[in-house]
Amino acid sequence: MSKSSRPSTAENLRKSTKPTQIAKKAAPRLRSYDGDAFVNLFGHRGAKDIMILDNHGVPLRSTASQRRTFHYVSNLKPLLLMARNVVRDLDPSNDITFMRIRSNMGEIHMTLGAEFMLIIVQKLRKLRRSLST
């Protein structure tokens, strides 16, 4: 074989004696809330994100990314406070403690306490239709 001619791919395969290496998957990253009983309980019930905030709206713990947490907090905290004011205007002796918002994408459950706020984003479950004919 001359130097200018190229060896065929079959010859290249015969020459290469290295076995092909299989890439190993990296171990899953541990998150700060892994193994937390509170988060695991809501995970079984279909919760997608859980955010715990102090009474000023500063996130204390969250299972969502920082950007997503900020997005939810900046939009839902004013809504929750407005709903609280409407309830107090209608009946001053009453106060809002729980609020539920449902959309096509999912449900948002919000609890307003004296010292904290809890926001849970839940994915929707498909409704099973009965096949009665």
Side-chain angles (χ1 to χ4, degrees):
M1 183 185 314
S2 68
K3 291 182 181 179
S4 63
S5 67
R6 299 170 119 187
S8 69
T9 56
E11 289 175 0
N12 284 339
L13 290 175
R14 276 187 254 139
K15 287 181 184 179
S16 67
T17 57
K18 291 183 180 179
T20 56
Q21 295 180 356
I22 299 172
K24 294 181 180 178
K25 288 185 178 180
R29 267 183 40 186
L30 291 176
R31 297 179 299 259
S32 63
Y33 55 86
D34 280 346
D36 190 353
F38 179 74
V39 173
N40 289 339
L41 176 68
F42 282 103
H44 291 295
R45 295 186 179 187
K48 194 161 66 169
D49 295 322
I50 301 170
M51 291 160 256
I52 302 171
L53 318 165
D54 66 358
N55 57 355
H56 300 293
V58 178
L60 300 175
R61 284 188 79 181
S62 177
T63 60
S65 66
Q66 188 175 9
R67 182 178 181 183
R68 190 174 176 98
T69 301
F70 177 75
H71 178 68
Y72 276 115
V73 171
S74 63
N75 289 325
L76 293 176
K77 184 184 174 208
L79 179 65
L80 187 60
L81 295 177
M82 280 190 269
R84 182 183 210 181
N85 289 337
V86 167
V87 170
R88 283 187 179 169
D89 287 344
L90 294 173
D91 185 10
S93 65
N94 202 354
D95 193 13
I96 192 168
T97 56
F98 186 79
M99 187 168 155
R100 178 179 165 192
I101 301 172
R102 184 175 177 142
S103 69
N104 293 335
M105 306 274 299
E107 285 184 326
I108 300 172
H109 304 271
M110 296 181 285
T111 302
L112 183 61
E115 297 179 10
F116 69 94
M117 284 185 264
L118 177 68
I119 299 173
I120 299 172
V121 180
Q122 189 175 22
K123 52 191 165 192
L124 286 179
R125 296 182 189 175
K126 292 183 180 179
L127 295 176
R128 295 181 185 173
R129 293 184 183 179
S130 62
L131 299 173
S132 58
T133 54

